[in-house]
Amino acid sequence: MDNLFVLLIFVLVLAIFLGFELINKVPSTLHTPLMSGANAISGITIVGALISSGSDGGLWTTLLGTAAVFFATVNVVGGYLVTNRMLGMFKKK
Amino acid sequence: MMEILQSEIFANLSYIFASMLFIFGLKQLGSPETAQRGNLISSSGMLLAVLVTLVNNQIISYEWLAIGLILGILVGATAASLVKMTSMPELVALFNGFGGIASLLVGSAEYLGTGSLGLISLTAIFLTLIIGGVTFSGSLVAYGKLSEILPGRQITFTGQRVVLIIFFFIALTLGAHLIFNFSLSGWSPVYSFLLLIFFALVIGLLITLPIGGADMPVIIALLNSYSGLAASAAGFVINNNVLIVAGALVGASGLILTNIMCKAMNRSLANVVFGSISSTASSNINAEDVGEIKPINISDAYLILEAANSVLVVPGYGMAVSQAQHAVRELGELLEENGCEVNYAIHPVAGRMPGHMNVLLAEANVSYDQLQEPDDVNPVMDTIDVCIVIGANDVVNPDAKENEGSPIYGMPIIEADRSKTVFILKRSMAAGFAGIDNPLFGKENSRMLFGDAKESISGLVAEFKS
């Protein structure tokens, strides 16, 4: 457990640094699609939601998990679609 | 075959692959040529993570999650395809809040469902509750303000900060009870758990209610960061690497945007969240600072534009309000046909979210290489014949450079006043959001074109066509 925890912290720290490097060079023209695209990625919590909703953890876990699945799905599906719609409008003549 | 698909090693490797797709996707989002493909790559990472989770043997019944998935897809897809581009800030705020509440619910489900939880899991659950709760209620307030369900002004009461600090300590105490699970006679940790959610939601309200409309880009970027951190915390609850990586990427990107927005206003994050700009504003300005206001009518403005060789359009939130972006693009095309060079200068905090103006102009079919940043246009400002300021105010206020007493002194601006002629499209002489006068309006080379921005621009278009 403790080893796993340290490993996950390590992953977290590296990912934060990677995130800073990745985003730093994004031009301001793309700030809105970047935000909504990143927002869709934060819907990754859907993985946890699916496990809570579908595992046999009791009524409360199932209900809360299902609500979480709903909200995370809206976040994911809506976020990616709307980002795609926006990016489709960025054209060069 | 099914055994391999259900094995833990397969799931974990797939999650790592999904993380890679997110990273590639975000990288490609950084350039207009590749951005759409990047979004597609990132979404395929999400699809992979979801599919792997669905076949995993931790899931034993599909009825409930199917309901959640189907309803979520319907709602998300409908909202995404119906939303108007001018309403994008509130939709992003709403989706963001949904991500926050989802993480909160995952933490809650895990807390109520799993019998014995270790210290680390409980700490992670505490973090999902507090960050997820703040993200949810904060985003809902942002949504309410942006969609004008709530008043857009700053909503404050005396002692707000003190109350916020007290509530924060109460939340920490409740969290300590939740994590260390010490015995208090008659007070179960579950009560602390429920109260903690309540306080997290209230703290989110207290943080966002005092934020005024023009500071919205900062707070949206910050909430975006929080939703990522909440997902990361949920990753520690269920020990899942893809949640941690994806959440951290979003957290970092939100923080960078927050920082860019703060720099563009020359203010610290603490000043945006806790300070109020208007309280210091009125004292050091008097009416004679602003020179004579010189109105211009559409036919005179047309004559000047017709003779111009270079035009720079500076849009602000007013362009979004009057939905003038299509008329602006039409005017730009007519000017180009007339042999004039047309560009658009966009301040990072123009509008209500980062990049708001860029999206509106892209929607109106303006080529993205014409969308420029202040640092691109300021050095060549002296060569611009006409600068058309549409519904922007504070981002072109020369006081930011010239008047040390001004509350916005030091804020980087688009130096429209240095162009040969400035047209300012405005409804009336009301001050900008910051509540301060704008000496640009009284400059020798400034001309005010009063009226609704869309009507004024359409009027100019009609002149060009006749």
Side-chain angles (χ1 to χ4, degrees):
Chain A
M1 179 67 195
D2 282 347
N3 276 338
L4 177 64
F5 174 65
V6 172
L7 195 68
L8 290 180
I9 289 280
F10 185 55
V11 168
L12 173 73
V13 172
L14 287 184
I16 289 175
F17 276 98
L18 178 62
F20 281 131
E21 286 301 314
L22 277 178
I23 311 298
N24 238 338
K25 297 157 199 120
V26 175
S28 60
T29 300
L30 289 173
H31 278 168
T32 298
L34 171 70
M35 257 183 69
S36 73
N39 186 13
I41 294 179
S42 75
I44 187 66
T45 202
I46 191 174
V47 167
L50 289 171
I51 294 172
S52 296
S53 173
S55 65
D56 190 17
L59 182 65
W60 277 111
T61 308
T62 307
L63 288 181
L64 293 174
T66 304
V69 169
F70 167 73
F71 284 117
T73 308
V74 174
N75 188 193
V76 167
V77 173
Y80 279 121
L81 285 180
V82 91
T83 309
N84 188 56
R85 216 182 118 197
M86 267 190 278
L87 288 171
M89 300 182 316
F90 280 87
K91 286 186 210 91
K92 194 170 169 178
K93 277 178 202 149
Chain B
M1 183 63 190
M2 205 55 201
E3 269 170 41
I4 300 173
L5 288 178
Q6 287 185 333
S7 69
E8 196 161 344
I9 184 79
F10 175 78
N12 281 325
L13 288 175
S14 305
Y15 288 146
I16 291 173
F17 191 63
S19 307
M20 283 166 56
L21 292 173
F22 290 143
I23 293 165
F24 270 123
L26 272 175
K27 186 165 171 53
Q28 302 220 327
L29 263 181
S31 143
E33 288 88 13
T34 57
Q36 202 164 15
R37 189 173 10 141
N39 189 51
L40 209 64
I41 293 174
S42 157
S43 63
S44 55
M46 185 65 71
L47 187 65
L48 173 68
V50 168
L51 290 179
V52 167
T53 311
L54 283 176
V55 299
N56 194 274
N57 53 14
Q58 272 179 284
I59 292 183
I60 48 170
S61 75
Y62 288 87
E63 295 92 346
W64 285 96
L65 66 84
I67 295 172
L69 273 176
I70 292 168
L71 286 180
I73 290 171
L74 286 178
V75 173
T78 311
S81 44
L82 293 185
V83 66
K84 280 194 196 143
M85 286 302 139
T86 38
S87 308
M88 198 51 75
E90 51 259 42
L91 188 73
V92 171
L94 194 63
F95 283 165
N96 204 38
F98 280 15
I101 188 79
S103 292
L104 181 148
L105 289 168
V106 169
S108 307
E110 206 59 22
Y111 181 73
L112 295 173
T114 314
S116 56
L117 287 157
L119 210 59
I120 293 165
S121 301
L122 285 168
T123 309
I125 287 172
F126 163 67
L127 290 174
T128 60
L129 300 182
I130 188 101
I131 305 174
V134 168
T135 309
F136 179 60
S137 60
S139 299
L140 284 192
V141 171
Y143 169 77
K145 287 190 171 211
L146 290 164
S147 58
E148 288 168 3
I149 296 169
L150 294 171
R153 65 188 157 79
Q154 303 170 319
I155 301 168
T156 49
F157 57 89
T158 34
Q160 186 149 3
R161 273 176 244 178
V162 180
V163 172
L164 183 60
I165 291 166
I166 292 172
F167 279 17
F168 188 68
F169 275 101
I170 294 176
L172 282 184
T173 313
L174 292 167
H177 187 215
L178 185 88
I179 294 166
F180 297 108
N181 200 9
F182 45 77
S183 64
L184 292 169
S185 54
W187 185 263
S188 144
V190 177
Y191 297 154
S192 289
F193 158 80
L194 291 173
L195 266 181
L196 179 61
I197 295 176
F198 170 77
F199 276 99
L201 295 173
V202 175
I203 290 170
L205 296 181
L206 288 176
I207 290 176
T208 38
L209 280 173
I211 306 291
D215 289 342
M216 270 300 156
V218 181
I219 212 72
I220 292 198
L222 189 66
L223 289 169
N224 189 34
S225 173
Y226 285 174
S227 74
L229 297 178
S232 254
F236 279 95
V237 175
I238 61 167
N239 284 327
N240 188 313
N241 53 27
V242 72
L243 266 75
I244 294 173
V245 171
L249 293 173
V250 179
S253 99
L255 271 185
I256 287 183
L257 283 179
T258 309
N259 192 30
I260 292 173
M261 296 301 119
C262 286
K263 270 193 190 152
M265 297 200 292
N266 192 38
R267 293 166 69 191
S268 69
L269 182 57
N271 184 271
V272 174
V273 177
F274 297 114
S276 128
I277 195 169
S278 44
S279 54
T280 55
S282 51
S283 56
N284 41 30
I285 305 285
N286 41 50
E288 57 214 70
D289 282 345
V290 178
E292 192 200 344
I293 302 294
K294 297 169 288 292
I296 191 171
N297 61 29
I298 287 178
S299 34
D300 289 346
Y302 160 71
L303 292 175
I304 296 174
L305 281 175
E306 216 249 325
N309 288 318
S310 59
V311 167
L312 185 69
V313 178
V314 184
Y317 185 55
M319 184 183 80
V321 173
S322 82
Q323 302 267 9
Q325 65 269 28
H326 296 279
V328 169
R329 189 258 311 154
E330 204 180 351
L331 178 65
E333 281 176 358
L334 289 167
L335 283 165
E336 282 174 334
E337 280 168 28
N338 196 32
C340 172
E341 190 194 342
V342 181
N343 281 302
Y344 301 81
I346 298 167
H347 195 277
V349 294
R352 288 293 181 263
M353 73 185 295
H356 191 185
M357 293 299 119
N358 304 75
V359 171
L360 293 185
L361 290 170
E363 182 205 10
N365 260 329
V366 173
S367 171
Y368 62 74
D369 53 0
Q370 288 178 298
L371 308 176
Q372 302 187 332
E373 299 181 29
D375 288 346
D376 303 325
V377 294
N378 281 338
V380 294
M381 193 60 85
D382 302 303
T383 66
I384 304 284
D385 290 327
V386 184
C387 212
I388 309 178
V389 178
I390 306 171
N393 193 343
D394 298 328
V395 299
V396 289
N397 191 335
D399 264 358
K401 287 181 74 77
E402 293 159 5
N403 179 0
E404 282 189 46
S406 168
I408 60 165
Y409 181 72
M411 168 173 157
I413 58 160
I414 296 168
E415 296 166 15
D417 55 306
R418 282 178 35 226
S419 67
K420 285 169 193 152
T421 308
V422 190
F423 290 166
I424 298 134
L425 275 66
K426 239 173 122 40
R427 278 177 187 280
S428 67
M429 274 310 292
F433 170 76
I436 51 181
D437 286 328
N438 192 337
L440 173 68
F441 303 156
K443 294 246 172 179
E444 192 55 40
N445 52 347
S446 293
R447 298 290 180 274
M448 308 296 294
L449 192 51
F450 287 116
D452 177 73
K454 190 177 177 182
E455 281 169 23
S456 300
I457 299 281
S458 303
L460 288 168
V461 168
E463 289 276 346
F464 264 98
K465 282 182 173 169
S466 65

